[in-house]
Amino acid sequence: MTNVRDLRDGEEFVGFYLIKESEVKQTNTTPPKDFMNLTLSDSTGAVAAKLWDASESDKVSYPAMTLVKVQGAAQLYRDKLQVKIVRIRKTTEADGVSLTEFIRSAPVEPSELLATVQATTDSITDNDIRAVVQYCLDKIGDRLLHAPAAKSHHHAYYAGLVYHIVRMLEIGAFLCKQRPFLNADLIKAGIILHDIAKPVEMVSELGIVSDYSTQGKLIGHISQASLWITEAALQLGMNPDSERIMALQHLVLSHHNLGEWGSPVQPQLAEAVALHHIDSMDAKLQMIEDAFATIPDDESWTAPIRGLENKAIYRLNF
């Protein structure tokens, strides 16, 4: 059985996979024919797949989150590996496979990551800032244990969001030591709060995002988190127009940096500039790390990485 990371251009294969995404499309031919765009995944990665001439039964049988056995052929299409499905069926009990085998997860135990986030929150010396962060953590609750950080861009797996937060906290701690003028409480708070509403923005199961929620589509995680900060201030008896609350809102609202990337304002606090670059650095390096993990050991080039302007990255071999 072939893992996703071991698929090679021009080779035929057989393997068990989880359907991560499923979509019915039509060809441009006359008359049009139905086919299915599937994303096949396992713990080593994910790959796009085509099921041509999809029957009515196929459309019903192969939704997202279905375990399947696939016989297919791997081929490069526009510099990315893609699978042509020859045969496909649902797995049975006799196959001896379980869903958890195919779920990618953060490399650190989620409970350990959450404990780090809580310990960092407890270490915030400003009482008001600490109280707002704790309010938002309590609001999101256990959803932070399993939520991904994104649908596909970076940390797109079980506990990916809390892993992203912890890795950012590590970078933030270093920067605060190197640049003592930065307010360490705001850096910690901004990192914990910047994506805190992602579990509300996305509909996910076992770290796999199936869609964006109504709140996600109409409000988005950035605006939602800013609203929670205001809500926290009001519930905790703080002045919602105070500089502390305004600073926390600014950190969240500006962390994507540009309007076309989703930020209504650009960073204009030193801590907001730091937060944006900490976030960007961790996300982009994780994209590369994930890409390296999904190519065979004897290959040097990754597929083009969308978050890096569709550039492929070369892995040095010395």
Side-chain angles (χ1 to χ4, degrees):
M1 297 296 168
T2 307
N3 291 328
V4 168
R5 78 183 301 268
D6 296 322
L7 294 175
R8 308 292 183 90
D9 179 33
E11 291 186 357
E12 296 183 355
F13 68 92
V14 174
F16 293 107
Y17 308 97
L18 174 68
I19 297 177
K20 187 175 181 181
E21 297 179 30
S22 177
E23 182 183 28
V24 178
K25 305 282 284 184
Q26 284 192 325
T27 63
N28 293 324
T29 58
T30 304
K33 295 182 178 181
D34 291 340
F35 69 95
M36 295 185 74
N37 276 336
L38 304 178
T39 299
L40 303 178
S41 66
D42 60 20
S43 60
T44 71
V47 64
K50 302 282 188 186
L51 178 60
W52 299 106
D53 298 321
S55 67
E56 293 302 316
S57 175
D58 291 335
K59 298 174 201 175
V60 174
S61 298
Y62 305 119
M65 301 303 294
T66 302
L67 283 176
V68 291
K69 185 177 183 180
V70 171
Q71 176 187 348
Q75 54 196 20
L76 282 178
Y77 177 71
R78 294 181 178 174
D79 296 324
K80 288 189 177 181
L81 201 65
Q82 181 175 278
V83 164
K84 177 184 178 182
I85 296 174
V86 178
R87 296 176 66 189
I88 184 171
R89 67 164 173 82
K90 288 185 177 181
T91 58
T92 66
E93 191 174 328
D95 291 319
V97 296
S98 64
L99 185 62
T100 54
E101 297 175 49
F102 298 85
I103 299 300
R104 187 166 177 221
S105 181
V108 181
E109 191 65 33
S111 59
E112 183 181 333
L113 294 166
L114 191 58
T116 299
V117 172
Q118 185 59 62
T120 302
T121 301
D122 294 341
S123 74
I124 295 174
T125 58
D126 186 288
N127 291 335
D128 287 350
I129 294 175
R130 184 176 65 252
V132 170
V133 173
Q134 189 63 58
Y135 182 94
C136 294
L137 282 175
D138 291 343
K139 193 172 184 70
I140 207 64
D142 288 344
R143 286 174 288 184
L144 192 58
L145 274 171
H146 54 76
K151 185 176 183 180
S152 59
H153 220 36
H154 65 91
H155 300 86
Y157 43 75
Y158 189 89
L161 175 56
V162 69
Y163 182 55
H164 177 44
I165 290 171
V166 169
R167 297 305 295 268
M168 286 177 64
L169 287 171
E170 293 168 354
I171 299 171
F174 169 79
L175 279 182
C176 287
K177 287 181 181 179
Q178 189 189 64
R179 297 285 190 271
F181 74 90
L182 293 171
N183 184 310
D185 283 348
L186 284 179
I187 293 293
K188 293 173 186 177
I191 290 171
I192 294 170
L193 295 177
H194 82 290
D195 279 349
I196 196 72
K198 280 282 185 79
V200 172
E201 179 181 56
M202 299 180 293
V203 179
S204 66
E205 180 181 357
L206 295 173
I208 296 175
V209 177
S210 58
D211 198 1
Y212 287 89
S213 67
T214 300
Q215 280 178 290
K217 292 172 182 176
L218 297 183
I219 300 174
H221 75 279
I222 291 177
S223 298
Q224 187 68 69
S226 179
L227 290 171
W228 287 356
I229 292 168
T230 301
E231 178 185 315
L234 293 171
Q235 291 293 324
L236 297 169
M238 301 175 191
N239 178 3
D241 296 323
S242 70
E243 280 208 335
R244 281 177 175 79
I245 298 303
M246 183 169 56
L248 291 174
Q249 289 175 316
H250 180 74
L251 287 166
V252 168
L253 292 170
S254 66
H255 80 270
H256 279 188
N257 187 41
L258 299 176
E260 55 264 39
W261 296 345
S263 277
V265 292
Q266 288 185 277
Q268 290 185 275
L269 295 174
E271 292 77 12
V273 173
L275 175 62
H276 164 65
H277 287 288
I278 292 168
D279 183 29
S280 179
M281 177 186 294
D282 185 59
K284 290 180 178 179
L285 289 177
Q286 193 65 50
M287 292 175 205
I288 297 172
E289 184 177 341
D290 290 346
F292 282 166
T294 57
I295 60 175
D297 293 336
D298 59 351
E299 290 188 12
S300 297
W301 283 99
T302 70
I305 299 173
R306 181 184 168 196
L308 296 175
E309 293 78 45
N310 277 323
K311 291 194 294 285
I313 300 297
Y314 182 76
R315 178 170 58 190
L316 294 168
N317 294 305
F318 63 85

